[in-house]
Amino acid sequence: MSIVEVKVPQLSESVAEATMLTWKKKAGEAVAVDEILIEIETDKVVLEVPAPSAGVLAEIVQPDGATVVADQLIAKIDTEGKASAAAPAAAPAAAPAPAAAPAAAAAATGGSKSDVAMPAAAKLLADNNLKTSDVAGSGKDGRVTKGDVLGAVASGAKPAAAVAAPAAKPALPQVAAPAGAPDLGERPEQRVPMSRLRARIAERLIQSQSTNAILTTFNEVNMAPVMELRKRFQDSFTKEHGVKLGFMSFFVKAAVHALKKYPVINASVDGNDILYHGYFDIGIAVGSPRGLVVPILRNADQMSFADIEKKIAEYGKKAQDGKLGIEEMTGGTFSISNGGTFGSMLSTPIINPPQSAILGVHATKDRAVVENGQIVIRPMNYLAMSYDHRIIDGREAVLGLVAMKEALEDPSRLLFDI
């Protein structure tokens, strides 16, 4: 017998411990080299733990849900062992059903359909007694996402083996009652522990509100010039760069333009000092199945419109698939939150510490405005910038937001840096 140890990968310096999610293999099952055995959740990212060697999973040392630290032993692989007879014995039983063919094929190659479900989706599948084969995946390589499972549950999807079973009582939206739960009639409840990321988000938001003197200033911007410019060059831009020209690249460029004029908005508090940053790392708030994440556009001042759009698209995809790395979400000197994608008209965004300001972007709607004494219809967007009043005075905050407004209403300012 030759044993290879499976250990927790290295965590970032700011992460002390992590939580084991769900093992994809059982003890006694065969594993291939680099096959993902389990995901480990930190308060920032989900890390995949691949098999360091092919063989048989001889022992699972740390179970699902266990709290672990970097380099801790979690399993053992016997590189000379053979899979137990019980594991493959189940495959022929499913053979008569035509729908089981893909699963049998996957098993023959050492994998399973559950391997293509994202961590959050896998939990929902288990909660609803569903298999991956019961849900159509829309993620990369056909992976099943949390949204796929929620959509399937909402449409009344049932386990393949229990199609004829009586329908269960309605569950809470996005919450499925666990097996064996007491009958609560028409008022169901379910207590679910926060994920590490959700707990970290809560901690940081409370920290932000308790340590920063947060004030928010508002302004409105006529988005017609940006919309016209975008419409004019959309086709050629997409053909040239392989990505659509969105609005976020304009907001990023306008923000950098304002931060250069008023550097204190790009600064942060360090004890009794003000730390001015000579670079512009812009955080973009992105929703994910695990919660809100803020990946960073490094040196955004040096990025083209195409660079920004490509990076945002990449981050959005990674966020949905749970693939964002710690280094991609660390740092940042200023953030942008676009609630407009969800229809928000106005909000007061919370600063992402240790930053000192954040821009909130909202839905663009046709509104009646006055121009030259005449009432006209214009596509208007309300901008909100929350800032730390400890170091940013009202003057700099208001003028900074006005600079963003002017850059959006006359994009040529970005070309001439005026």
Side-chain angles (χ1 to χ4, degrees):
M1 178 182 294
S2 178
I3 297 296
V4 173
E5 295 183 337
V6 181
K7 297 184 177 182
V8 177
Q10 287 298 316
L11 308 176
S12 70
E13 294 181 0
S14 61
V15 176
E17 57 187 22
T19 299
M20 305 276 288
L21 295 182
T22 305
W23 281 98
K24 297 181 178 295
K25 292 288 185 177
K26 296 179 180 179
E29 291 186 339
V31 298
V33 63
D34 291 333
E35 182 178 2
I36 303 303
L37 300 178
I38 191 171
E39 284 98 3
I40 297 180
E41 182 185 42
T42 74
D43 59 13
K44 294 184 177 180
V45 296
V46 171
L47 303 173
E48 293 182 331
V49 180
S53 179
V56 172
L57 189 59
E59 180 184 358
I60 293 178
V61 179
Q62 296 296 331
D64 298 352
T67 298
V68 294
V69 297
D71 207 36
Q72 182 174 345
L73 176 66
I74 57 175
K76 297 179 181 179
I77 294 176
D78 181 1
T79 59
E80 299 176 357
K82 295 183 179 180
S84 63
T109 59
S112 69
K113 288 295 287 181
S114 62
D115 289 344
V116 295
M118 299 307 298
K123 184 178 186 306
L124 279 176
L125 286 170
D127 289 343
N128 290 275
N129 196 28
L130 293 172
K131 295 181 179 180
T132 312
S133 56
D134 299 326
V135 180
S138 62
K140 183 178 181 181
D141 299 327
R143 288 194 173 195
V144 176
T145 67
K146 179 180 179 181
D148 296 331
V149 181
L150 293 176
V153 172
S155 63
K158 300 179 179 64
V163 173
K169 291 184 177 181
L172 292 174
Q174 301 186 13
V175 177
D183 186 0
L184 298 176
E186 299 302 321
R187 295 169 62 81
E189 292 181 344
Q190 181 181 1
R191 185 181 297 272
V192 180
M194 284 188 184
S195 66
R196 284 186 174 272
L197 175 62
R198 174 57 59 190
R200 180 59 172 165
I201 291 172
E203 177 187 339
R204 287 179 64 83
L205 293 180
I206 292 175
Q207 172 193 352
S208 178
Q209 290 189 311
S210 63
T211 59
N212 296 329
I214 301 179
L215 193 63
T216 305
T217 183
F218 303 91
N219 215 316
E220 59 181 7
V221 56
N222 178 6
M223 293 294 292
V226 168
M227 295 173 71
E228 175 60 31
L229 195 62
R230 181 171 175 264
K231 180 180 179 181
R232 179 182 174 187
F233 292 104
Q234 181 66 274
D235 291 342
S236 56
F237 184 92
T238 304
K239 183 178 180 180
E240 179 70 22
H241 301 291
V243 64
K244 288 186 176 181
L245 178 61
F247 292 111
M248 280 303 295
S249 52
F250 286 94
F251 289 120
V252 171
K253 285 290 187 180
V256 170
H257 172 75
L259 298 181
K260 287 182 177 180
K261 283 176 171 277
Y262 305 98
V264 71
I265 303 177
N266 195 49
S268 59
V269 175
D270 185 12
N272 291 324
D273 299 328
I274 300 176
L275 184 60
Y276 288 89
H277 305 291
Y279 50 89
F280 304 88
D281 289 353
I282 308 299
I284 305 297
V286 177
S288 77
R290 296 178 60 240
L292 183 70
V293 292
V294 189
I296 309 298
L297 298 176
R298 308 286 179 190
N299 299 312
D301 58 315
Q302 300 174 26
M303 300 177 73
S304 66
F305 279 81
D307 292 335
I308 294 172
E309 293 294 347
K310 289 177 181 178
K311 203 65 179 177
I312 290 176
E314 176 189 334
Y315 283 155
K317 177 63 175 173
K318 284 186 174 182
Q320 290 301 312
D321 293 344
K323 299 294 185 182
L324 281 171
I326 293 176
E327 69 284 351
E328 293 173 313
M329 295 189 290
T330 303
T333 60
F334 183 84
S335 291
I336 300 176
S337 176
N338 187 4
T341 58
F342 306 107
S344 173
M345 183 185 76
L346 200 60
S347 67
T348 54
I350 299 177
I351 298 169
N352 184 25
Q355 299 169 24
S356 296
I358 179 173
L359 174 67
V361 178
H362 303 93
T364 298
K365 299 289 185 181
D366 285 343
R367 295 188 174 94
V369 297
V370 178
E371 288 183 0
N372 301 319
Q374 299 294 319
I375 298 177
V376 295
I377 304 299
R378 295 287 183 262
M380 305 301 293
N381 192 308
Y382 295 138
L383 302 182
M385 189 174 76
S386 294
Y387 58 98
D388 188 350
H389 210 349
R390 292 180 300 169
I391 64 170
I392 303 174
D393 292 331
R395 175 183 179 275
E396 284 76 17
V398 171
L399 291 178
L401 192 58
V402 168
M404 296 180 201
K405 166 188 169 70
E406 291 176 344
L408 292 167
E409 291 186 336
D410 185 4
S412 60
R413 288 175 175 271
L414 299 174
L415 179 62
F416 298 108
D417 196 24
I418 57 176

